[in-house]
Amino acid sequence: MSPVFDCSDEAQLLAGMRQARQAIGRGELVVLPTDTVYGIAADAFSARAVQGLLDAKGRGRQSPPPVLVAGIATLRALVAEVPEAVERLVAAFWPGGLTIVLPSQPSLSWDLGDTHGTVAVRMPANNMALELLEETGPLAVSSANLTGQSAAITAFDAKHMLGDKVAVYLDGGPSATGIASTIIDATSLVTGSVPLVRVLREGAVDRAALREVLGDLLEPDPMRDGDSGGA
């Protein structure tokens, strides 16, 4: 039976982090807390481990997992280019609940699924997650739940859904907000003739906060019920 480590206890924290590092190194899966919801993590550079993550969630290759990183230096290594507007977003919202999609570095040898040459990257505001990322390198991380079910906000929620498909569970207590990250697509800032950032999923960072940083580079807000679309 896969162990659950209570990371509020220092001895269990040390043992859990050690076993989590070892599990990632073996290509196994780990559930860990983040600043948004609990995540299920795998070595981003192990195609077998990433496929195991997708299989555990019941998710297809058409929905590749995001990658969590320990800082902007790792972001630069994973993507083809970091546009100036993305630099501003990172300064404003990292570490935190903003996932940014950019064209991936073409020289990287990895297989996250059907990414169409992009990667979704985030730096979480959680010390335990950041410490693990510093030691393992980039991790493919998706919300720790079965596809179609609510994201886990406790380690035991995750274990109830994922069971022994996961090797190690790190219990950092209930998620502070239970709100998933906002995902934006910034690929057109690198490859598009018309640069425009699109919001793929609204979450922890709202559109108003994004617009403060991006201005007109952010897509227009969606029309609300009752809007006529007129002047």
Side-chain angles (χ1 to χ4, degrees), residues 152-228:
I153 60 171
T154 70
F156 287 95
D157 288 343
K159 187 164 189 183
H160 177 72
M161 289 184 273
L162 299 169
D164 290 340
K165 298 173 185 175
V166 171
V168 175
Y169 289 83
L170 299 176
D171 182 0
S175 299
T177 66
I179 301 173
S181 69
T182 294
I183 303 176
I184 61 169
D185 181 356
T187 55
S188 72
L189 300 183
V190 178
T191 62
S193 57
V194 180
L196 197 67
V197 174
R198 295 186 300 122
V199 178
L200 303 182
R201 181 181 74 191
E202 296 194 39
V205 178
D206 63 28
R207 284 177 178 267
L210 291 171
R211 194 167 300 283
E212 282 188 15
V213 175
L214 292 172
D216 290 342
L217 284 176
L218 183 66
E219 67 180 354
D221 291 342
M223 285 178 36
R224 304 182 185 280
D225 292 344
D227 285 351
S228 67

Side-chain angles (χ1 to χ4, degrees), residues 62-215:
Q62 72 278 6
S63 300
V67 174
L68 294 192
V69 298
I72 191 169
T74 311
L75 169 69
R76 295 187 195 283
L78 298 182
V79 302
E81 180 184 331
V82 181
E84 186 273 336
V86 171
E87 298 262 11
R88 286 187 272 124
L89 288 169
V90 166
F93 301 116
W94 278 19
L98 181 66
T99 300
I100 304 171
V101 179
L102 285 165
S104 59
Q105 176 61 251
S107 63
L108 289 177
S109 175
W110 63 0
D111 182 6
L112 297 171
D114 298 337
T115 64
H116 306 289
T118 66
V119 61
V121 188
R122 184 169 88 85
M123 179 185 180
N126 178 280
N127 289 336
M128 196 185 310
L130 290 173
E131 181 180 337
L132 190 61
L133 288 163
E134 289 279 8
E135 296 174 345
T136 63
L139 294 175
V141 180
S142 183
S143 56
N145 60 286
L146 296 174
T147 296
Q149 297 194 26
S150 298
I153 60 171
T154 70
F156 287 95
D157 288 343
K159 187 164 189 183
H160 177 72
M161 289 184 273
L162 299 169
D164 290 340
K165 298 173 185 175
V166 171
V168 175
Y169 289 83
L170 299 176
D171 182 0
S175 299
T177 66
I179 301 173
S181 69
T182 294
I183 303 176
I184 61 169
D185 181 356
T187 55
S188 72
L189 300 183
V190 178
T191 62
S193 57
V194 180
L196 197 67
V197 174
R198 295 186 300 122
V199 178
L200 303 182
R201 181 181 74 191
E202 296 194 39
V205 178
D206 63 28
R207 284 177 178 267
L210 291 171
R211 194 167 300 283
E212 282 188 15
V213 175
L214 292 172

